[in-house]
Amino acid sequence: MPSAREEVADSLVDTCVCAGLNDSYGVSKAKSEANGKSFWMITFAKAGMLDGVIRVYGPNFIHIHWQGALAKAAGLPFVGTEVIKSATLAKRFLIRLANL
């Protein structure tokens, strides 16, 4: 049975795929660790327009890092990072990034 953190990661993978953020190399999910903290890492991309990484530390702590022209078109910086406090808000943010 997956943890709450993994369930959030899985739902964000689905959002990335549905939003078309799976160009080039698709969307990938892997368990990772840095500085003694474990998290689920998700990579996403829109070919030639946007690359990003999501780190799910917990259901209420999601870190998204991105870079690309698509972010700028969505009114965000070309390179940026955001900490989001819920899966619902993270999904909305990804859809905004995808410029849908």
Side-chain angles (χ1 to χ4, degrees):
M1 180 156 90
S3 67
R5 179 172 57 174
E6 186 175 10
E7 286 178 359
V8 167
D10 288 338
S11 73
L12 294 176
V13 166
D14 291 343
T15 299
C16 287
V17 170
C18 290
L21 296 173
N22 60 342
D23 284 351
S24 318
Y25 52 84
V27 175
S28 66
K29 179 187 95 170
K31 192 148 190 187
S32 192
E33 186 176 322
N35 300 322
K37 305 232 183 213
S38 67
F39 53 88
W40 283 99
M41 184 170 66
I42 303 158
T43 59
F44 61 89
K46 192 154 203 155
M49 298 294 291
L50 183 72
D51 291 301
V53 176
I54 305 165
R55 291 182 176 192
V56 180
Y57 290 96
N60 298 314
F61 193 89
I62 301 159
H63 180 254
I64 301 176
H65 176 80
W66 69 87
Q67 73 176 39
L70 193 58
K72 197 140 176 87
L76 297 164
F78 184 84
V79 176
T81 187
E82 188 80 27
V83 173
I84 300 176
K85 298 294 185 178
S86 77
T88 301
L89 292 174
K91 289 175 189 180
R92 286 183 194 155
F93 186 82
L94 289 167
I95 290 168
R96 179 178 171 202
L97 258 180
N99 203 21
L100 297 177

